[in-house]
Amino acid sequence: MTAPSTAERTADTVRPWTPPLFGGELATVLDRLRGWTAFDGVTLLDDVATVLDDVPPAEENTEELAERLRGHLMRLVTIAVAAEAEEDTTAARLIERARSLRDEDLPGGHWKAVAHLRRLGWTANELHDRLAAIRCLKEAA
């Protein structure tokens, strides 16, 4: 003999499922997911190594490197803010420096551009290390 089914009794008490988001909201989430780029610590460290190397980057590469480093800084700041790392005074100082440098234009002249790239690189490296130290990043590459 089998036990009587309880499915009939619980069907009246279970509310029908409603989606958490509707059309426009889902489209916004989809657009953000399509535009999202995952944090890549290895690429960050490669770019930092390139700009901090004893041999400065070639003049034709400075603009591209500056854009990549700005992107790394944006991701690191976003991670830091999401993880509430601003409560850490060292992280907060580095976040402000990253925001400031990220907004600066690449200066004219090769050596001024290299100096700016090195400031971007040092800041990205220090912020990366600090976020790893306070466990805002799962691992440092």
Side-chain angles (χ1 to χ4, degrees), residues 9-137:
R9 285 185 271 158
T10 59
D12 294 335
T13 60
V14 175
R15 290 180 284 152
W17 180 81
T18 56
L21 301 173
F22 294 100
E25 296 165 325
L26 283 172
T28 300
V29 170
L30 181 60
D31 287 341
R32 288 185 180 175
L33 284 173
R34 285 181 176 156
W36 178 68
T37 304
F39 173 72
D40 184 357
V42 173
T43 302
L44 175 137
L45 294 176
D46 286 345
D47 289 342
V48 167
T50 299
V51 299
L52 297 180
D53 193 6
D54 290 341
V55 178
E59 190 167 356
E60 59 269 7
N61 297 334
T62 56
E63 189 65 46
E64 179 187 346
L65 280 168
E67 283 304 309
R68 288 202 316 252
L69 287 167
R70 286 184 194 114
H72 294 312
L73 287 173
M74 281 182 14
R75 281 183 206 77
L76 289 171
V77 168
T78 300
I79 291 168
V81 170
E84 299 178 2
E86 293 169 305
E87 295 173 10
D88 180 82
T89 56
T90 303
R93 180 180 48 82
L94 290 168
I95 290 167
E96 285 308 309
R97 187 185 324 157
R99 286 176 172 155
S100 172
L101 282 171
R102 185 185 63 202
D103 292 337
E104 289 181 22
D105 292 329
L106 191 65
H110 181 62
W111 292 110
K112 288 182 182 180
V114 168
H116 182 71
L117 287 175
R118 289 184 175 183
R119 284 192 299 274
L120 288 168
W122 273 114
T123 303
N125 189 54
E126 288 179 13
L127 184 54
H128 176 264
D129 288 351
R130 187 62 192 162
L131 293 178
I134 61 175
R135 301 192 187 267
C136 292
L137 292 174

